[in-house]
Amino acid sequence: MSATAEIIKPAENPFDSMMSRFDVAAKLLNLSEGLYNVLKSPAKQVIVSLPVTMDDGRIEVFEGFRVVHNINLGPAKGGIRYSMDVHLDEVKALAAWMTWKCAVSNIPFGGGKGGIKCDPRKMSVGELERLTRAYTRAMIDVFGPEKDIPAPDMGTGPREMAWLMDQYSKLVGYSSPAVVTGKPLVMGGSKGRVEATGRGVMVATRSAMLKMGLNPFKSTCAVQGFGNVGSISAKLIEQQGLKIVAISDVTGGYYNPNGINVAEAIAYSQAHANQLEGFPGAEKISNAQLLELDVDVLVPAAMEDQITKHNAANIKAKLIVEGANGPVAASADDILNEKGVMVVPDILANAGGVTVSYFEWVQNRLGYFWTEERVNRRADRNMKEAFETVYQTSLKYNCNLRIAAYIVAIDKVAQVTQLRGGI
Ligand code: NAD
């Protein structure tokens, strides 16, 4: 992080944010008290102790978690997070989020999430590998291509997924690529996965703009966050004709009313340790100022709780597309509603990533790999259909897109839960 790094701290608890929307949707659906209690409770919570020999010979014991929230639609799906902030409540919230995300985007998976309380930046590659293998051994009865399929999340990536796949395969005695997604391409990853989330954000943006009658060639856009989701969303949204007037990352915001060349910004960031600090041709602003710019479209793609009751009244964008998970806090929902701002919620807007993860799992089980063109075409179609379903639901229930997305998801999981019975 640079000396001028600007930290945006989450203001509200993401689990509370999620549950307050869940409650509104459950009420509109007239969900029975019994089903309400079933759907809010995680099916399984596993906590393990992971002894790891560190490079200096010491044995350190790490705490690992896996929560399976719901598996009525299919095997659990969700990432593994390596961070000192990992704790059971957070993992529970993220697992539930995955259930709703898969349900709303028509993916036959349930929701899960995992994590290890550790600081990966302070660990050597060897220590991280031993930790990942210890976690996989401890979760051998939890994971499985038909049971629970992990993926990368904060602090993990294709490298950790390769170790996990290898360790799982060694334990079961055969090669099992479908046990995990987000693997390196060469060992069974899917084409299109790296761009999938940003691509879905772009499709969601276009779908919403069509409904709102916004002309992309006359519209401006600001994107907060310039990592995987932010940079690719900015690049693909720019290709749709919108002018990207502001981008930002942990070093702050960069504003140019005449438009930022996103390809140049990506090249600059890549050449400067993945940071935009010093990016030329733009005025330096703060992340908070970026959110309040007079633009047509705002894509928060950095982290949670960026738009809250404290700044929602100052938002000028007509459309917010949530690239990040939980960037609009529940306390801001009503304020944005009253202002007539359309918000495409995270569980819909950033579902492109899990959609292509699902395609990776399908290809691994088929043993047959698709072209990037086929992956993108199917992912785009899935996203457009999911958007349309949520949009029509918002008209039917006279509610915003976020509540409509929760209604679609909760209704689907509730119906399947009832049909399966056995409660
Ligand atoms: P990333 O680590 O690649 O990028 C994060 C970006 O946000 C970076 O540009 C970073 O500089 C910036 N950032 C980090 N901390 C910041 C801070 N305190 N203030 C301002 N900017 C800050 O992460 P990503 O994969 O792009 O994920 C971004 C968000 O999207 C997260 O909420 C993540 O959960 C969500 N998401 C990611 C995917 C995916 O496929 N990568 C899928 C769904 C949702």
Side-chain angles (χ1 to χ4, degrees):
M1 199 184 292
S2 82
T4 53
E6 175 203 0
I7 304 299
I8 307 173
K9 288 259 183 244
E12 291 174 22
N13 176 327
F15 187 70
D16 294 343
S17 276
M18 193 268 294
M19 276 313 292
S20 66
R21 279 89 171 233
F22 177 89
D23 285 349
V24 176
K27 208 171 224 167
L28 283 169
L29 270 172
N30 272 328
L31 201 66
S32 71
E33 195 186 336
L35 269 176
Y36 173 87
N37 287 332
V38 171
L39 297 191
K40 77 167 200 195
S41 315
K44 189 190 292 183
Q45 304 174 53
V46 183
I47 305 178
V48 289
S49 295
L50 306 168
V52 173
T53 306
M54 307 304 277
D55 290 347
D56 61 7
R58 274 180 314 113
I59 293 175
E60 208 167 305
V61 182
F62 295 88
E63 200 173 22
F65 305 88
R66 185 71 183 174
V67 172
V68 169
H69 172 254
N70 190 291
I71 49 166
N72 280 346
L73 296 189
K77 185 87 194 86
I80 299 170
R81 181 170 283 200
Y82 286 5
S83 153
M84 287 310 286
D85 296 329
V86 166
H87 59 91
L88 186 61
D89 269 350
E90 181 192 61
V91 182
K92 274 160 66 175
L94 295 168
W97 231 322
M98 287 303 297
T99 302
W100 312 133
K101 194 178 288 191
C102 292
V104 82
S105 45
N106 278 317
I107 294 175
F109 283 151
K113 203 82 184 188
I116 303 178
K117 191 175 165 63
C118 66
D119 185 349
R121 288 164 307 176
K122 292 196 178 138
M123 295 173 69
S124 71
V125 174
E127 288 167 345
L128 283 169
E129 177 171 354
R130 291 193 288 282
L131 178 63
T132 306
R133 289 186 187 276
Y135 180 71
T136 310
R137 279 194 298 274
M139 295 292 175
I140 190 67
D141 294 331
V142 178
F143 295 155
E146 305 285 352
K147 292 200 293 192
D148 182 1
I149 308 141
D153 195 74
M154 258 168 59
T156 60
R159 181 182 65 177
E160 285 73 19
M161 300 307 112
W163 293 329
L164 197 156
M165 180 273 193
D166 179 73
Q167 187 63 41
Y168 180 86
S169 298
K170 285 192 168 116
L171 291 169
V172 295
Y174 52 87
S175 201
S176 179
V179 71
V180 60
T181 62
K183 297 178 292 295
L185 202 54
V186 67
M187 62 181 287
S190 177
K191 290 192 170 134
R193 174 62 188 91
V194 173
E195 296 214 326
T197 306
R199 191 174 175 85
V201 169
M202 176 273 285
V203 174
T205 304
R206 284 290 284 128
S207 303
M209 288 179 78
L210 267 172
K211 298 289 183 198
M212 298 169 79
L214 286 177
N215 178 346
F217 292 94
K218 292 187 178 150
S219 298
T220 54
C221 175
V223 180
Q224 186 194 43
F226 210 64
N228 173 279
V229 182
S231 67
I232 290 164
S233 299
K235 180 178 92 176
L236 299 179
I237 288 172
E238 184 188 45
Q239 284 172 11
Q240 295 296 310
L242 287 92
K243 193 190 284 179
I244 307 291
V245 294
I247 55 177
S248 76
D249 68 4
V250 72
T251 68
Y254 302 83
Y255 172 60
N256 183 342
N258 299 318
I260 283 169
N261 181 321
V262 179
E264 280 174 14
I266 291 175
Y268 184 91
S269 171
Q270 280 170 353
H272 294 82
N274 291 323
Q275 296 206 340
L276 288 165
E277 183 70 65
F279 178 61
E283 182 192 333
K284 186 84 189 273
I285 57 171
S286 68
N287 264 291
Q289 284 171 316
L290 175 139
L291 297 172
E292 297 178 11
L293 287 174
D294 189 5
V295 289
D296 298 295
V297 182
L298 176 62
V299 179
M303 57 187 299
E304 66 270 28
D305 282 342
Q306 297 305 295
I307 301 167
T308 66
K309 61 183 175 201
H310 302 295
N311 59 357
N314 303 332
I315 300 293
K316 296 175 195 70
K318 303 178 182 80
L319 169 64
I320 297 176
V321 184
E322 294 188 324
N325 285 319
V328 175
S331 65
D333 281 354
D334 286 346
I335 304 168
L336 294 173
N337 251 350
E338 274 159 31
K339 284 168 68 83
V341 180
M342 184 186 270
V343 180
V344 185
D346 44 14
I347 58 171
L348 173 63
N350 68 36
V354 75
T355 303
V356 176
S357 276
Y358 163 56
F359 293 166
E360 179 176 334
W361 178 80
V362 169
Q363 292 169 77
N364 290 156
R365 284 158 51 101
L366 282 176
Y368 175 76
F369 287 86
W370 303 349
T371 60
E372 187 161 356
E373 190 267 331
R374 173 181 280 199
V375 170
N376 288 344
R377 186 163 29 88
R378 292 187 171 182
D380 290 358
R381 187 176 63 201
N382 210 61
M383 181 60 76
K384 280 183 199 156
E385 285 174 5
F387 181 91
E388 192 58 32
T389 304
V390 170
Y391 187 78
Q392 294 306 331
T393 305
S394 77
L395 297 181
K396 181 174 163 194
Y397 285 88
N398 191 23
C399 63
N400 62 36
L401 291 181
R402 186 186 312 282
I403 297 303
Y406 274 84
I407 288 177
V408 170
I410 293 169
D411 188 35
K412 187 180 287 176
V413 182
Q415 277 191 52
V416 176
T417 304
Q418 264 178 325
L419 287 166
R420 288 176 66 144
I423 298 176

